[in-house]
Amino acid sequence: MVLRREYQENIFISCLKHNCLVVIPTGLGKTIIGLMLAVHRLTEIPESKVIFLAPTKPLVEQHYHSFLDLTTISHESLKCITGATQPGKRKLLWDDLTIAFMTPQVLQNDIISKTYSIHDVSLIIFDECHRAVGDYAYCFIAKKYMDDSKCPQILGLTASPGSTKEKINEIKENLFIDHVEIRTEKDSDVKPYIHNVDNEWIKIKLPSEFLEIKNILTEKLKDGYKWLKQNDLLDSYDVNKITRKDILKLNNQINKRISYARDDNEKFQMFTAKKLAANAIRLSHMSELIETQGVNALKDYIEKNEEKIKRNTANKSLKELFYDKDFKRVKTLTFHVQSKGIVHPKLEKLKELLSQQLTENKDSRILVFCHFRDSVNNIVKIFKEDDIIKAHKFVGQATKGSDKGLTQKQQINLLEDFKEGIYNTLIGTSVAEEGLDIAECDLVVFYDVVPSAIRSIQRRGRTGRKKEGKVYVLMAEDTRDEGYYWAEKVKERNMKESLRMIKSGEKKSNSKQQKNILNYAIPEKKEKIQGNHLDKNDNEKEVERSEKYDSKSINKIEDANKFTIICDNRETASPIVRILSLLGINLKLEQLPVADYVISERVGIERKSSQDFNDSIKDGRLFNELIELKNNFERSILILEGDPLENSNINENALYGAITSIILNLGITIYKTKNPEETATFLFQMAKKEQSEKTTQMKLRFEKAPLDLSHLLEFIIAGIPGVNYSRAKNLLNEFKTLQQIFNSDIPDLTNVDNIGKKIAQEIYKISRYKYK
């Protein structure tokens, strides 16, 4: 076992009888705390299992290897389970393991599809638990775990829980936390293990060419804001006071005014407002690119949008902006500056810092963080031929156009190459921020500034883990970089103050909690072992989350498990499947070629959010999908979630035309819901009504008929209600031909293995039924 530090022992002891949130600076071995508690729970409850969750596969692998190296638990009992492992194999792995290391998405899907039970899990560790907000998988998992386990205990680990008390309390509620352990760099038991990290922010002056582009964009933006203010849609036209969030919120206001418009002139004005708001977002983004990323990033953005215009996929507002004479001037200047080889003065400074570091210490490892992937690609391209700086990009899995992402396996291999020195510099996006323990990293550079305390702390935490480190923050002078920097500082200060208040409150109430521990027990009929306490403060401020469900407020419905809904496995990205699971409905996850949800052999349901409905009209998917739905199901239903008229840039008449065509021409029923909860409730009620009157198992047949004749016979017989492929084989082995099967009497049919009287009657009836 690893040598344990005093603060780890102290935290471990405090967590023994609680669902505990541990907030601890990065690099101080929070994995060790999880390891200690895991070993304790397995000793306390020998036949139980432990789950260690982390948001990404590289982090999962990292924790897995830590446990391999630091415990005497047999290697066979420790298993990584990821999405790459087939569900059948995951079940086999689960049966034999003691500690599972997983991503939350995999565990969530396995819980929903009941691949295995978490009844005997005695501890779940949620790493990077600041993610446990909104409808992230951590919230669903915690709720199901507390409902289903006979001996639940939760440990949440993070270095940065959030900048407000409300956010921290939301995490506590979602993870059923009743005790918080907080350590800062100033705590006496932590101080000896803190490595010094020098933080230096470097101001970069923008060249006059950049300022000229920026000024044109600012003036153009100001003109749009003036018009919006004159029409009572904004309170100011000061570009420094109006944020992109303000503009995004405008859409709802504009849509309301369109719906209440008294005449066509007023409507036309509001459609102009929509165009100005859309272009304000674009202009603000371009201004940020030239300020903080450089001319290459701006040029790439312009070219991507020009491609949309050429392909006729651009909307009207984008075309109007790009045909504007002032914007044409921006484009000309951008291309001219780029042709002169000017990129951004940040790049020159970055090269200087990296070269200096690697010259002084050739074994250095450097992480450079960028907000935009385009900037990552540009930096890697510039360092490609450099003899000293051996750089590689470190980005997420998503592929954007011709820009391929990195699979999680590639990410893991790249980190190994980084440790080995094949690459000495990684240029990364946010995917490199969380949790990665790279002991060799001694320099972190912020190429740009993020106005988030969580992300800033995570970035800085990549250095100073095992030795002293440095952090440089590159900041374009008199730009939003500076604004973001100070916004982040305020948020970080607020976080520390919130943690101090929570820590102070914990100390005051600690003795009371120990005396009245039964007051915090979760009200459950079944007896539970220690570690299941819930601290629910009724006076806590409710955090508003539009269109997001609260997993804690959803309770099981009695006898809901009698009903089955088949869900397309891609629907797990929406909250609906999780809500259905929390309600207790029996769910089957499958990759459905048609429909999102299947209630019975005759009822198929397609679900569209209002945004997806609009998008699928524009890209032509909608009617193709609905025709397939109609062709495969007797009762076809479209659930429309939200209002498609809100935030839509499609003409109102076109939307109504699409809706009426679906009803009148396709004969598909449309049911409108407000939110995911209402959708889930409707699906449950549909399944209840449809399946209460039927006892046969649901059977879907989307596959093509096989070419081989013997398999074709199985396919035909398996189409009879109640007959699966196993029963079809039994019938064919007994009677040899379709003719013999269909000519047989009920007693002959019941002599076949697994064919009961009801199925025999069904075969007899169908074989003699006259087609109408």
Side-chain angles (χ1 to χ4, degrees):
M1 179 65 73
V2 69
L3 181 65
R4 297 177 296 208
R5 296 168 177 175
E6 183 191 350
Y7 67 87
Q8 291 168 340
E9 292 275 7
N10 293 341
I11 293 170
F12 162 68
I13 292 164
S14 297
C15 292
L16 284 177
K17 306 298 181 187
H18 295 281
N19 286 341
C20 195
L21 169 63
V22 175
V23 182
I24 187 169
T26 54
L28 289 181
K30 56 185 166 76
T31 306
I32 305 298
I33 297 162
L35 184 150
M36 291 162 71
L37 193 57
V39 170
H40 170 77
R41 289 296 277 174
L42 293 172
T43 307
E44 186 181 47
I45 313 164
E47 297 304 313
S48 67
K49 297 180 189 289
V50 169
I51 297 173
F52 202 127
L53 293 174
T56 64
K57 191 176 174 182
L59 257 181
V60 168
E61 292 268 348
Q62 185 175 289
H63 294 311
Y64 168 67
H65 287 292
S66 293
F67 272 60
L68 279 179
D69 296 341
L70 302 175
T71 70
T72 56
I73 299 171
S74 70
H75 290 196
E76 290 74 26
S77 299
L78 305 173
K79 297 292 179 189
C80 267
I81 302 180
T82 68
T85 315
Q86 292 299 315
K89 193 178 177 186
R90 294 206 293 266
K91 170 74 172 75
L92 294 173
L93 288 172
W94 178 264
D95 290 342
D96 296 331
L97 62 78
T98 304
I99 304 179
F101 301 86
M102 313 170 79
T103 56
Q105 289 75 20
V106 170
L107 180 58
Q108 171 188 273
N109 289 354
D110 286 350
I111 290 171
I112 289 168
S113 56
K114 298 181 180 173
T115 305
Y116 42 77
S117 170
I118 55 172
H119 181 69
D120 294 322
V121 174
S122 60
L123 174 67
I124 296 186
I125 301 165
F126 294 85
D127 190 28
E128 309 297 348
C129 69
H130 51 266
R131 288 175 173 248
V133 292
D135 58 9
Y136 189 68
Y138 276 0
C139 307
F140 166 80
I141 291 165
K143 166 72 172 165
K144 287 292 282 186
Y145 176 56
M146 295 305 291
D147 284 348
D148 295 351
S149 175
K150 68 181 181 186
C151 48
Q153 186 170 4
I154 284 172
L155 175 65
L157 302 171
T158 184
S160 46
S163 54
T164 65
K165 192 176 177 183
E166 289 77 18
K167 173 76 182 290
I168 298 164
N169 280 332
E170 184 184 355
I171 294 164
K172 284 177 65 181
E173 260 197 58
N174 289 338
L175 294 184
F176 297 84
I177 299 297
D178 58 54
H179 178 66
V180 182
E181 275 293 316
I182 299 163
R183 292 295 186 279
T184 68
E185 292 90 340
K186 293 178 182 177
D187 284 306
S188 58
D189 57 353
V190 166
K191 248 183 182 178
Y193 305 101
I194 296 291
H195 298 284
N196 185 50
V197 175
D198 288 332
N199 289 276
E200 184 181 340
W201 47 285
I202 301 167
K203 285 196 174 185
I204 310 285
K205 198 172 178 65
L206 291 180
S208 57
E209 293 91 340
F210 280 33
L211 293 173
E212 188 178 356
I213 294 168
K214 183 191 163 189
N215 289 339
I216 298 170
L217 291 170
T218 302
E219 285 304 310
K220 193 80 194 149
L221 197 54
K222 197 185 286 184
D223 289 343
Y225 288 168
K226 270 184 184 175
W227 191 96
L228 292 168
K229 184 178 184 296
Q230 286 165 3
N231 286 272
D232 300 321
L233 290 163
L234 286 178
D235 296 327
S236 167
Y237 58 83
D238 186 340
V239 292
N240 295 315
K241 288 181 181 176
I242 306 296
T243 66
R244 260 177 266 176
K245 271 189 180 178
D246 296 327
I247 301 301
L248 288 167
K249 283 178 189 173
L250 264 187
N251 254 325
N252 286 335
Q253 198 180 335
I254 293 168
N255 286 326
K256 279 179 188 172
R257 286 183 54 174
I258 288 171
S259 59
Y260 295 132
R262 289 162 294 184
D263 52 48
D264 288 344
N265 186 47
E266 196 175 338
K267 247 184 194 177
F268 178 77
Q269 269 200 318
M270 288 304 102
F271 281 119
T272 302
K274 275 179 94 78
K275 284 190 287 186
L276 287 170
N279 283 334
I281 298 288
R282 294 184 182 111
L283 290 164
S284 175
H285 179 64
M286 286 188 274
S287 183
E288 181 174 6
L289 289 177
I290 193 64
E291 285 179 359
T292 66
Q293 307 301 313
V295 76
N296 284 358
L298 179 57
K299 181 174 176 280
D300 288 346
Y301 179 79
I302 291 170
E303 285 176 341
K304 280 177 191 173
N305 282 291
E306 282 185 326
E307 189 62 28
K308 286 183 186 176
I309 293 169
K310 283 177 191 172
R311 294 184 180 208
N312 204 26
T313 57
N315 56 32
K316 201 173 178 183
S317 59
L318 180 66
K319 289 176 183 174
E320 283 186 11
L321 176 63
F322 272 57
Y323 294 150
D324 178 83
K325 62 180 176 63
D326 292 327
F327 185 77
K328 284 181 178 177
R329 174 80 179 138
V330 167
K331 181 188 165 183
T332 303
L333 284 169
T334 301
F335 282 60
H336 176 66
V337 171
Q338 202 252 359
S339 68
K340 288 165 67 177
I342 302 171
V343 182
H344 197 291
K346 277 186 183 180
L347 267 172
E348 293 163 28
K349 190 66 185 175
L350 179 65
K351 189 169 184 177
E352 179 192 320
L353 293 172
L354 269 53
S355 298
Q356 183 182 329
Q357 178 74 14
L358 291 164
T359 302
E360 290 174 5
N361 180 6
K362 63 182 176 59
D363 295 322
S364 265
R365 298 290 182 273
I366 303 166
L367 273 172
V368 178
F369 286 105
C370 299
H371 187 53
F372 299 104
R373 199 192 273 194
D374 284 346
S375 299
V376 169
N377 292 332
N378 280 322
I379 293 168
V380 170
K381 202 184 292 177
I382 283 163
F383 292 151
K384 195 174 182 180
E385 304 301 324
D386 198 285
D387 295 330
I388 300 172
I389 305 164
K390 292 177 278 185
H392 199 289
K393 73 175 182 179
F394 193 87
V395 297
Q397 297 180 76
T399 294
K400 300 174 181 179
S402 59
D403 179 20
K404 285 189 177 180
L406 296 175
T407 65
Q408 291 190 327
K409 188 176 180 181
Q410 287 174 319
Q411 291 171 11
I412 291 165
N413 291 338
L414 189 52
L415 287 173
E416 285 303 314
D417 291 346
F418 184 59
K419 287 177 183 178
E420 293 295 321
I422 296 168
Y423 302 105
N424 54 29
T425 305
L426 291 183
I427 318 293
T429 52
S430 58
V431 76
E433 290 172 359
E434 274 186 335
L436 296 176
D437 186 7
I438 305 163
E440 298 81 6
C441 183
D442 46 12
L443 174 62
V444 165
V445 182
F446 290 29
Y447 187 74
D448 43 32
V449 188
V450 284
S452 160
I454 290 174
R455 290 184 62 191
S456 190
I457 289 167
Q458 293 288 347
R459 282 183 173 191
R460 291 200 306 269
R462 296 317 102 214
T463 190
R465 299 176 79 86
K466 303 288 190 298
K467 56 185 177 181
E468 291 189 354
K470 290 182 201 168
V471 174
Y472 291 122
V473 181
L474 303 183
M475 190 187 307
E477 197 173 344
D478 297 326
T479 68
R480 69 194 71 205
D481 263 354
E482 285 196 32
Y484 287 167
Y485 178 80
W486 293 113
E488 185 278 319
K489 284 294 169 198
V490 169
K491 287 177 183 177
E492 200 170 328
R493 189 167 64 243
N494 290 343
M495 180 190 294
K496 286 177 180 174
E497 179 59 22
S498 298
L499 289 172
R500 189 192 63 75
M501 288 167 66
I502 289 169
K503 192 173 181 179
S504 173
E506 285 265 333
K507 282 178 182 175
K508 285 177 187 175
S509 63
N510 194 41
S511 59
K512 288 180 185 177
Q513 285 180 353
Q514 287 175 357
K515 286 175 187 175
N516 304 304
I517 199 79
L518 291 174
N519 294 339
Y520 294 93
I522 297 173
E524 283 281 333
K525 289 179 184 177
K526 58 185 176 183
E527 186 181 345
K528 294 196 175 183
I529 296 169
Q530 290 167 337
N532 62 345
H533 317 302
L534 171 63
D535 177 11
K536 171 73 174 164
N537 183 349
D538 293 329
N539 296 320
E540 282 181 7
K541 184 180 174 184
E542 183 67 28
V543 180
E544 290 182 4
R545 300 193 297 275
S546 62
E547 296 187 4
K548 289 182 180 176
Y549 74 103
D550 177 8
S551 60
K552 287 188 70 181
S553 67
I554 298 166
N555 297 309
K556 274 187 183 178
I557 297 172
E558 194 176 346
D559 294 334
N561 61 355
K562 289 180 180 176
F563 309 107
T564 299
I565 297 176
I566 299 174
C567 312
D568 184 68
N569 54 23
R570 289 158 290 196
E571 277 289 294
T572 55
S574 82
I576 294 156
V577 176
R578 284 167 283 196
I579 297 170
L580 288 169
S581 179
L582 290 169
L583 292 172
I585 294 154
N586 186 33
L587 298 176
K588 289 183 180 177
L589 296 181
E590 295 182 16
Q591 184 137 352
L592 297 174
V594 181
D596 292 324
Y597 301 91
V598 175
I599 301 297
S600 69
E601 289 173 44
R602 70 180 193 133
V603 181
I605 297 168
E606 186 76 23
R607 181 194 73 92
K608 296 282 182 196
S609 66
S610 55
Q611 184 61 53
D612 189 27
F613 183 76
N614 285 321
D615 291 344
S616 61
I617 290 173
K618 286 190 281 186
D619 62 27
R621 279 182 293 125
L622 180 66
F623 284 94
N624 290 335
E625 289 172 357
L626 294 180
I627 288 166
E628 281 294 304
L629 187 72
K630 181 70 179 170
N631 288 342
N632 280 277
F633 294 97
E634 185 186 334
R635 292 281 183 269
S636 302
I637 299 167
L638 171 64
I639 294 178
L640 194 48
E641 196 176 283
D643 187 350
L645 295 170
E646 272 190 26
N647 305 320
S648 174
N649 52 11
I650 298 178
N651 181 279
E652 192 177 299
N653 290 331
L655 279 172
Y656 279 121
I659 292 166
T660 51
S661 289
I662 292 164
I663 297 167
L664 299 176
N665 298 342
L666 295 182
I668 291 175
T669 303
I670 297 179
Y671 185 82
K672 189 171 175 295
T673 62
K674 292 179 194 169
N675 50 40
E677 293 100 308
E678 203 172 285
T679 301
T681 303
F682 174 70
L683 287 168
F684 166 66
Q685 293 296 341
M686 284 283 292
K688 186 178 176 183
K689 177 69 177 169
E690 178 72 359
Q691 293 169 25
S692 292
E693 298 166 7
K694 295 188 177 185
T695 54
T696 55
Q697 262 196 331
M698 220 189 302
K699 182 167 56 184
L700 302 179
R701 287 161 62 86
F702 295 116
E703 73 271 26
K704 290 182 180 178
L707 296 175
D708 175 76
L709 285 178
S710 290
H711 287 109
L712 181 60
L713 295 182
E714 291 171 8
F715 180 81
I716 293 166
I717 296 299
I720 298 168
V723 179
N724 56 24
Y725 276 95
S726 174
R727 288 176 178 142
K729 284 178 181 179
N730 291 346
L731 285 162
L732 286 162
N733 283 329
E734 179 68 30
F735 294 106
K736 305 304 179 189
T737 68
L738 295 182
Q739 185 180 15
Q740 291 286 352
I741 293 170
F742 290 136
N743 284 339
S744 298
D745 291 324
I746 290 169
D748 297 327
L749 291 166
T750 54
N751 287 332
V752 178
D753 283 349
N754 216 12
I755 302 294
K757 191 175 177 182
K758 280 189 178 179
I759 294 174
Q761 287 172 338
E762 190 72 18
I763 296 169
Y764 186 86
K765 184 181 81 175
I766 286 171
S767 65
R768 287 154 179 78
Y769 185 80
K770 287 184 179 177
Y771 176 71
K772 294 176 183 178

